[in-house]
Amino acid sequence: MSAEEFRRHGYAVVDWLARYWTDLDQRPVTPDVAPGQVAASLPERAPEHGEPFEDLLADVDRLITPGLAHWQHPMFLGHFPMTNSGPSVLGELLTAGLNPQAMLWSANPALTELEGVVCDWLADLLGLPASFRGNGVLQDTASAGVLVALTAALWRRGGEDWRRHGAGTRYTVYTSTEGNCSIAKAVRVAGLGEDRLRLVDVDHHAPAMRVDHLRALVEADIAAGNVPVMVAATVGTTSTTAVDPVAEIGELCREHGIWLHVDAAYAGVAAVCPEMRWIHHGVELADSYCVNPHKWLLTGLDCGAMWVTDQRALTAAMTTTPAYLSGSTAPHPAAVDLRDRQLPLGHRSRALKLWFVLRWYGAEGLRAHIREGIALARDFAAKVRADDRFEIVAPHPFGLVCFRLHADDATNAELLRRLTTSGELLLSHTDVHGRHTLRLATGGTATTSAHLDLAWRKITDIAADLLAVAPDAEAPRPGSAVGQPSAGLRVQEDLCGVEGGVHFGQ
């Protein structure tokens, strides 16, 4: 493809995306396709001869977009938002064209140093402690971050013995029953064995970690000869967006020399608003912290910001230096090798798109976006409370509202099924105190109050039909306005439950 061809077809792609965003609310939110249907529409083998680019773009319209779940649709309300924006896409386009490999400072000085700067900018915007400055990296997601943190924590506790003996020492890891499933996966991938993960009970008012139970588990492990190595606290759990008491957890970790990792994948960006900085109380005690700008901060997937305050432990855990990489970086404190802050050797640069977003919107624009998402959730929750057929089952400090009908689980499940199969909107569900609970998440780039009004009308219309034929409605439970915690994170992977339909994972 010549430069002139690239220019012409590039304009066509940008025009296609602009038209897609403009017309998105006219498309079904989710596709009406069966598993294997899209694959069956494609040739069995790659073409022998090249094809015109116009045909490629036409086949995106014909074969691909009809089978998409449109995460940028204003009525895609079932998951935490996966926001995107024009400046992010253009930054990604430049990154794709440059195709940089930023594993070493010497391999890419400008983008390595830009990444450090934008991580510092973001830490400042979120009100994170000064100890985070200079210690940031952009991972793909917070899931990678928890595994990196665990690896560094194991090295700090076990050093070279960890490298030699691995899981031979009985290291233990702790998170709440509401902690994200990526924590259990990290324990498994690190080779510790899932029996080394301790699930801490949560409070009954808001499903946040109980520090008294954490202390009991830690002390029991120490007495049994086990070695507590890491606690993963959560700011904004996946199921209900509960916030763990990070300060109290951090004090306990300091007392016993345990690494504290804070997972703020979704909710952390809310702290760009000064009135939301309460969520970071105690974060100065954290050894590592992760947040995903690609969720709620208008930056396209993937972009997971991570800070590790103990760079010595991180570098010792991550560095391998074969001859072909030795001596490639000058011994200078500003010459950071990003390969030493992540699992892969190669580093995909994500700094340009985040830089573009931070500069295009500015702190003021980002705060406006977050505040709008919180306000939309608050207004939606008010509608739910005002209708005595429904209840709110968990606090909603961010952009997620957990609610249900005063009816049995089967009726609530049927409400969700009809909503998600209509193609008009997407909700998801979780399990709160053993009860089927619907989840609606605001914060999408294009979602407005008009879209939530439309969603509420659809919800209440279907609810009226269901209650007309349902068994006697369940009576409100005492204290149900805030709800009870689930026994564990059980956001179902099968959100539609329609045989032959499409299943959307969390």
Side-chain angles (χ1 to χ4, degrees):
M1 184 178 285
S2 69
E4 182 53 42
E5 288 172 322
F6 175 77
R7 181 179 291 110
R8 184 173 75 254
H9 299 316
Y11 289 156
V13 170
V14 171
D15 286 344
W16 187 97
L17 282 172
R19 186 169 60 252
Y20 170 78
W21 288 341
T22 301
D23 300 338
L24 190 52
D25 60 355
Q26 299 172 28
R27 299 174 184 264
V29 181
T30 53
D32 181 18
V33 295
Q37 182 176 329
V38 175
S41 69
L42 300 171
E44 291 186 4
R45 294 177 177 82
E48 185 70 23
H49 304 288
E51 302 178 49
F53 190 83
E54 292 82 1
D55 291 356
L56 277 60
L57 203 53
D59 278 350
V60 172
D61 276 323
R62 184 173 66 91
L63 301 173
I64 303 303
T65 55
L68 289 178
H70 298 285
W71 283 74
Q72 305 309 306
H73 197 292
M75 299 292 279
F76 194 102
L77 306 169
H79 304 285
F80 292 147
M82 202 64 63
T83 52
N84 204 354
S85 65
S88 174
V89 171
L90 294 175
E92 190 76 87
L93 174 62
L94 280 174
T95 304
L98 294 170
N99 198 25
Q101 161 57 291
M103 61 181 178
L104 303 169
W105 178 89
S106 60
N108 226 304
L111 289 179
T112 296
E113 295 187 17
L114 177 64
E115 185 156 332
V117 169
V118 296
C119 285
D120 285 348
W121 282 10
L122 183 58
D124 180 63
L125 287 172
L126 300 180
L128 295 174
S131 58
F132 285 30
R133 190 168 187 86
N135 293 322
V137 64
L138 297 178
Q139 309 278 7
D140 52 5
T141 66
S143 297
V146 70
L147 180 55
V148 168
L150 178 55
T151 307
L154 288 163
W155 189 93
R156 188 171 75 179
R157 179 52 69 103
E160 292 299 327
D161 285 342
W162 158 249
R163 285 181 168 175
R164 285 193 293 266
H165 304 302
T169 301
R170 292 194 61 82
Y171 295 108
T172 49
V173 178
Y174 308 80
T175 193
S176 85
T177 54
E178 297 291 310
N180 190 269
C181 58
S182 63
I183 299 163
K185 187 173 184 178
V187 170
R188 183 191 311 161
V189 173
L192 299 185
E194 293 186 39
D195 62 321
R196 310 292 180 85
L197 179 63
R198 307 289 188 253
L199 295 180
V200 185
D201 291 341
V202 293
D203 183 80
H204 286 294
H205 174 70
M209 188 186 294
R210 279 179 43 201
V211 181
D212 61 330
H213 189 224
L214 172 63
R215 179 177 293 277
L217 291 174
V218 167
E219 292 177 351
D221 274 323
I222 293 172
N226 297 325
V227 181
V229 68
M230 189 176 86
V231 175
T234 309
V235 172
T237 58
T238 306
S239 188
T240 65
T241 66
V243 177
D244 288 341
V246 175
E248 296 176 63
I249 295 167
E251 293 292 349
L252 176 59
C253 289
R254 289 288 176 94
E255 180 183 339
H256 292 283
I258 303 171
W259 185 290
L260 173 58
H261 176 72
V262 175
D263 175 8
Y266 158 67
V269 297
V272 299
C273 303
E275 67 273 18
M276 295 300 292
R277 297 275 170 83
W278 60 269
I279 67 175
H280 285 154
H281 177 59
V283 167
E284 67 276 4
L285 300 174
D287 297 285
S288 54
Y289 174 99
C290 282
V291 65
N292 286 338
H294 67 236
K295 279 191 166 66
W296 199 6
L297 205 65
L298 300 167
T299 306
L301 189 71
D302 54 17
C303 186
M306 180 184 192
W307 293 266
V308 177
T309 60
D310 189 346
Q311 284 295 317
R312 176 178 170 273
L314 177 63
T315 301
M318 291 293 158
T319 299
T320 57
T321 307
Y324 48 81
L325 294 179
S326 62
S328 56
T329 298
H332 189 284
V336 172
D337 288 341
L338 294 175
R339 62 169 183 145
D340 296 336
R341 298 185 176 188
Q342 61 178 27
L343 294 170
L345 171 61
H347 183 76
R348 181 178 185 273
S349 182
R350 304 170 180 89
L352 272 175
K353 64 181 174 184
L354 182 56
W355 191 44
F356 278 25
V357 167
L358 297 180
R359 293 184 64 187
W360 173 267
Y361 290 100
E364 183 181 44
L366 297 174
R367 290 177 189 131
H369 171 69
I370 296 296
R371 285 171 177 149
E372 181 182 23
I374 293 172
L376 289 175
R378 183 177 61 243
D379 293 346
F380 181 82
K383 290 182 173 66
V384 176
R385 285 195 185 91
D387 191 322
D388 60 10
R389 297 171 297 178
F390 292 87
E391 62 175 318
I392 299 290
V393 300
H396 49 89
F398 305 107
L400 178 75
V401 181
C402 295
F403 67 103
R404 58 179 271 119
L405 272 170
H406 285 304
D408 60 21
D409 280 352
T411 304
N412 277 279
E414 179 61 14
L415 171 59
L416 179 66
R417 189 194 71 80
R418 294 193 190 184
L419 288 168
T420 55
T421 56
S422 70
E424 297 178 37
L425 75 163
L426 179 74
L427 302 187
S428 63
H429 82 276
T430 187
D431 183 351
V432 179
H433 195 45
R435 297 189 297 163
H436 190 286
T437 298
L438 279 66
R439 299 168 76 250
L440 179 143
T442 65
T445 310
T447 301
T448 67
S449 59
H451 295 110
L452 293 183
D453 289 343
L454 181 61
W456 181 239
R457 287 198 298 273
K458 184 73 174 178
I459 291 166
T460 53
D461 286 349
I462 295 176
D465 290 342
L466 290 172
L467 292 176
V469 296
D472 293 339
E474 107 182 338
R477 301 187 184 188
S480 61
V482 296
Q484 300 289 333
S486 63
L489 178 61
R490 292 189 291 267
V491 177
Q492 300 292 332
E493 291 186 357
D494 177 358
L495 296 179
C496 288
V498 184
E499 186 171 349
V502 179
H503 304 279
F504 303 95
Q506 175 65 16

